[in-house]
Amino acid sequence: MSYIPALSRDAVSPAVAASLDAVQKKLGALPNLFRTFAHTPVALNAYLQLAEVAASGRFSAKQRELIALAVGERNGCDYCLAAHSAIGRMVGLDAGDIAAARAAGAKSAGDAATLALAQRIVDTRGHVPTEELDAFKAAGFDDAAILEVLVNVVLNIYTNYTNHLARTEIDFPAAPAARAA
């Protein structure tokens, strides 16, 4: 049971309802996470604005979903793993891509380096050792890419932690259990 309940669209202010309508139009549904954010326009708009900014960066929708899966796995967020598995399929990821991303693996070396950095940002709370940052750059990235990975990590930590605090009811097909290492 949710600790912070997902609100119905009718229970929110007109401004929040308009934002929820836009989410529903884009996704074809109104996930419980957004209805939870709807308790305050601050929470909802913080997510929407940061997601929009992240989408304007160098990482494609597929790459952003891979990052979301890697971060969701590291933070143990069942809601986000379910959501990003479903959304990932919508943007062209297959079951193998999804499973690999959760373990910071990917078909391309660049994506694998990005996911490894994303998980290390989570693991080290941003104190990633210099040699690991250098290895990311040696994989073909620059300082701007490091910061864009960080933006995507922060966006996903925000949703992961919201779901942990709210105990958001999962309204996507459950993600499979992670493979044993």
Side-chain angles (χ1 to χ4, degrees):
M1 180 173 185
S2 294
Y3 183 79
I4 301 174
L7 297 174
S8 72
R9 188 197 169 285
D10 298 334
V12 300
S13 71
V16 169
S19 294
L20 293 177
D21 290 345
V23 168
Q24 185 163 5
K25 182 177 180 182
K26 180 177 180 180
L27 297 178
L30 188 56
N32 285 337
L33 173 61
F34 294 95
R35 296 184 321 113
T36 300
F37 282 148
H39 280 271
T40 172
V42 171
L44 179 60
N45 290 330
Y47 173 82
L48 293 173
Q49 290 174 20
L50 188 54
E52 181 179 340
V53 169
S56 72
R58 74 176 64 211
F59 296 110
S60 69
K62 283 184 181 181
Q63 290 170 315
R64 291 190 312 275
E65 290 307 316
L66 293 172
I67 294 168
L69 289 159
V71 173
E73 181 68 30
R74 221 31 152 223
N75 283 322
C77 184
D78 292 337
Y79 186 95
C80 287
L81 290 170
H84 292 290
S85 293
I87 296 166
R89 284 188 292 279
M90 290 170 52
V91 300
L93 299 178
D94 63 29
D97 296 327
I98 291 166
R102 292 173 63 180
K107 290 175 183 167
S108 82
D111 287 348
T114 299
L115 301 181
L117 177 59
Q119 285 192 339
R120 289 299 288 152
I121 290 169
V122 173
D123 293 345
T124 65
R125 295 185 177 105
H127 295 279
V128 178
T130 301
E131 56 273 6
E132 292 178 35
L133 296 172
D134 289 344
F136 182 70
K137 285 182 173 182
F141 295 99
D142 58 11
D143 292 333
I146 293 170
L147 294 172
E148 286 196 37
V149 172
L150 175 62
V151 168
N152 281 276
V153 168
V154 167
L155 176 64
N156 286 285
I157 288 172
Y158 179 48
T159 61
N160 295 168
Y161 287 12
T162 298
N163 289 313
H164 293 325
L165 288 168
R167 293 157 181 79
T168 311
E169 183 180 332
I170 299 172
D171 52 350
F172 291 91
R179 294 180 289 206

